[in-house]
Amino acid sequence: MLNSFVVVGPVISVKERGSVVKVVIGGVREFKGQQEDTRVEVVVFSRNADAAKALREGEIVCVKGRVETKWRESKTGGEWAATDVIADEIRAIAQPK
């Protein structure tokens, strides 16, 4: 797959909206010698959504997927880009301590 994204980290939250599940995965990155929290919001559809619904806060997960950017129009007529991480595969790899 040319457009490929992999993230591993703890689940911060799981939100259901109909058949779509949004999983927020946290982490820490180092920037200019300081550590700062970072988050990635992953959109999960169809069969993977059932697995995502079972995830619990603190579980370490591995997500393989792709990045999609769509251009949208605002109510005022301007355009803006919405970038989503779409999960092709999501699995828990460790339980919280």
Side-chain angles (χ1 to χ4, degrees), residues 60-95:
I60 306 299
V61 296
C62 177
V63 178
K64 296 179 185 177
R66 64 191 186 281
V67 177
E68 282 187 7
T69 301
K70 297 178 182 175
W71 287 94
R72 310 226 166 123
E73 269 191 45
S74 68
K75 294 178 182 177
T76 60
E79 284 190 330
W80 57 281
T83 302
D84 292 320
V85 175
I86 310 296
D88 292 325
E89 184 180 333
I90 187 167
R91 104 176 30 145
I93 57 175
Q95 299 297 320

Side-chain angles (χ1 to χ4, degrees), residues 8-19:
V8 176
V11 173
I12 302 297
S13 68
V14 178
K15 299 174 188 169
E16 291 181 51
R17 288 192 180 182
S19 62

